[in-house]
Amino acid sequence: MNFKLSITETGVATLLFDFENEKINKLDGDTLLELKGHLDELAKNSSVKLLVFESAKQGIFIAGADINEIKDIRSVDEAYQKAGFGQKILQQIALLPFPSLAVINGACVGGGCELALACSYRIISDDKKAVIGLPEVSLGIIPGFGGCVRLPKLIGLQAALQLILTAKLIPAKKALRLKLVDAIYNQSLSRDFIDNFIKQLINDTAFKKAILKKRKKSVSQKLLEDNALGRKLIFNKASQNLISKTKGHYPAPLKALQVIEAIADMNAEDALEAELKGFSEVAITDISKNLIQLFFTNEALKKETGVSDKNTLAVTINKASVLGAGVMGGGIAWLFSKNDKQVRLKDIEWEAVAKGYQTANQYYQQMQKFRKIKPNQIRYKMNHIAGCVNYNGFKQVDIVVEAVVENIKVKKSVLAEVENQLPDHAILASNTSSLSITEMASDLKRPENMIGMHFFNPVNRMPLVEIIPGKKTSQQTIATTVKLAKQLGKTPIVVGNCAGFLINRILIPMLNEAALILQEGGNVLHIDEAIEQFGLPMGPFVLADEVGIDIGFHVATILEDAYGERMKVAGIFNHIFNEEKLLGKKSGAGFYKHQKKSAIRYNKNIDAILTFYRGDKHISTTAFNHEQIVDRCILVMVNEAVRCLQEGIINNPAYLDMAMLMGTGFPAFRGGLLKYADNQGLQNICDKLTQLSKQYGERFKPAELLVEKANKQQLFYEGESK
Ligand SMILES: NC(=O)c1ccc[n+]([C@@H]2O[C@H](COP(=O)([O-])OP(=O)(O)OC[C@H]3O[C@@H](n4cnc5c(N)ncnc54)[C@H](O)[C@@H]3O)[C@@H](O)[C@H]2O)c1
């Protein structure tokens, strides 16, 4: 039994939701059935004056419908039945002969929010965990328990679209401002407030009237939303925004918009029916399955400690230091300070330290621009960073993050020097993009304390941190670094120690392949367009310019040294870096020209360089169509990803996919590289790779694990068949 029903003498029925053997409350099929039983009984009970929904879970009201059940939906009909059942029961709440109240003590999400919307009144706790919203579109579905119908009615069309289409969860104050809830209560005085609110709902008609009055639309809202023309404007604008944001890759928000527009003038019954149909259409798509899989991966990663032994103790890091105040060092120092950790930022000269401060300050300015921080808080946070050019204070730090130049000799010498300045327990973490952690630790006195902690640029936006243990890294060092990365708000993923680790090892071959296509007759704009249309946030040449051609070339060379022929750096990279000295965005030109305040333009000087490569074999710029470009660029990544799995650089395909999403912006709607391969069919991928290897060389030869899986008709994601 997940609900406990109690009825007071004054006619207040309370359904206390306490999902058995779970930390959260969720609305699965059985629970909905149980709820229906209670509602049927209550509806017949003439002594009931009010139904109150409360939760027995701390910090959670209802986390939503059961996502596992949604994941398993295979047909439109099944989707219709399942969502229809939930929708009907929530409608039963709305049609009860007495009013109802949702007491939202914590997260009130998706189906949970829809239940609250079906109630007559809603109050919410001021606890930080009490957030509310309809994030369904982030799972590739739309609200199907009445949310598309009730939310616009309650808070107005524009606010409802904003909530549903962005999938955002909002805190209590905003919920009150939007009139999504009727009151906020102080969590520490909750019982008194709730009891008093209930008493007034039962006894005080003026109190109820006042609530309903507060919910009334503003004049400007009425003017725009209560006429067909105004609504048309709102829908057109929302649709344009969505298309430019999603590039049409995500059908769910578009479907939600379509449904909300269609039901604007319908009666409740027809509107709910239209919502159900919309839900059923999107719930069965591959895109929804991919997004749900990513949701589960994310949840699994939150629980990861990085080590298999549960008894390994992760130490709490209080004080940190960063070596090297460059682009990355400044960003990492910012991250520590933002999370209220004291950090010393050391470089070899004060000028460099000042640049590090500048980087940190820039990140804070960006936060201020988006109203995520106030100026006085910035001053407070910046005070957590202590710049220095010596090792004073290093005896107190728990971790050093090394972010000096990418050169093994420099790194080894810096690490040996700093190790002598640290307490014995301190961790030495390197932010290297590609160099061996084992090699870096080889001359250290305490190699067990050495680990790779690879942040991505820009540190404020990239959620991934690759955690790379060396051969002698201790379990405690791994667990502590994983815990620290989480405290810093990042997603740590543990990967093996190989050249380029996971992300660069998979991504750089894609950039290289794009450059080879270019040399063979492709066109910069055309190649970038093909990859962007596939769904990556930017094409390979825009990306190369952003990262810096010097950095990209340097890492690519390290990969060529490590992996040989299959990662041989395309000549054009060498040419434009070493001979033309083009660095990309930071030097104003690379494959594109970058001028402040104007859009980037193709750098026509590249044409002259290309003539050198193509010579009299010059091929027309349409020599490669999008499909060919995508096949070469994406499959070369798939193949390398499989090699990483094969070699145990990472063992979990879902973690690999999430790492690519967070480290490269690989499109979520595709579910990840290996999910993409699964969805395309592994035999199909193998055949294409074999064909490409005949045309372009051994680098495309399908990885052994890929061939094995294709032969056995297996998938990377077990338990699924295609
Ligand atoms: N830039 C990126 O996109 C990126 C992304 C991820 C990782 N990384 C890695 O991060 C590290 C730093 O990269 P960056 O781009 O910030 O470099 P950068 O050139 O911007 O900064 C390096 C800083 O290290 C300082 N330095 C050199 N020797 C030092 C020493 N002995 N003690 C203290 N400081 C010293 C330099 O003065 C300079 O300020 C490299 O290992 C790089 O591979 C870079």
Side-chain angles (χ1 to χ4, degrees), residues 324-329 346-348 352 403-406 411 414 431-433 454-455 457 551:
V327 179
M328 294 306 290
K346 181 190 177 296
D347 208 296
I348 34 185
V404 304
V405 284
E406 187 78 344
K411 286 201 191 274
V414 167
N431 185 47
T432 175
S433 320
H454 182 206
F455 292 88
N457 189 17
I551 292 182

Side-chain angles (χ1 to χ4, degrees), residues 538-718:
M538 53 186 96
F541 299 111
V542 179
L543 181 63
D545 274 9
E546 279 287 329
V547 169
I549 291 165
D550 49 340
I551 292 182
F553 180 70
H554 188 61
V555 178
T557 314
I558 290 171
L559 297 191
E560 180 181 333
D561 289 346
Y563 302 106
E565 188 61 26
R566 80 166 190 270
M567 295 218 194
K568 192 168 170 35
V569 184
I572 187 161
F573 274 130
N574 189 4
H575 198 125
I576 76 168
F577 172 56
N578 280 322
E579 289 176 37
E580 305 291 326
K581 313 281 181 216
L582 299 178
L583 305 183
K585 191 175 177 180
K586 61 185 155 194
S587 70
F591 291 96
Y592 292 88
K593 292 237 169 168
H594 303 261
Q595 273 148 358
K596 272 188 188 154
K597 289 187 184 159
S598 61
I600 60 169
R601 281 177 298 115
Y602 172 59
N603 180 4
K604 288 197 179 123
N605 297 340
I606 298 291
D607 282 345
I609 303 170
L610 285 173
T611 316
F612 170 83
Y613 284 96
R614 296 170 181 174
D616 51 7
K617 293 185 299 188
H618 195 90
I619 311 168
S620 98
T621 51
T622 50
F624 298 92
N625 63 31
H626 276 197
E627 193 186 339
Q628 289 166 315
I629 295 166
V630 165
D631 276 352
R632 283 179 66 174
C633 290
I634 304 299
L635 295 193
V636 83
M637 289 203 287
V638 169
N639 215 15
E640 201 55 39
V642 181
R643 286 195 194 101
C644 287
L645 265 188
Q646 194 172 290
E647 292 169 25
I649 299 305
I650 192 164
N651 295 319
N652 186 333
Y655 288 2
L656 185 152
D657 278 347
M658 187 56 90
M660 286 301 287
L661 240 82
M662 292 186 165
T664 70
F666 192 87
F669 73 93
R670 300 219 181 254
L673 256 185
L674 296 172
K675 195 81 173 75
Y676 170 73
D678 274 357
N679 286 344
Q680 294 286 307
L682 298 189
Q683 190 56 56
N684 179 26
I685 298 278
C686 266
D687 293 346
K688 279 189 175 177
L689 281 168
T690 307
Q691 186 55 38
L692 287 169
S693 72
K694 283 183 194 150
Q695 264 176 291
Y696 301 106
E698 282 284 289
R699 66 183 180 281
F700 283 108
K701 190 175 165 214
E704 283 161 32
L705 182 64
L706 188 61
V707 176
E708 188 188 316
K709 289 224 172 245
N711 286 343
K712 291 185 182 164
Q713 296 189 319
Q714 289 175 341
L715 294 172
F716 289 109
Y717 284 76
E718 279 169 27

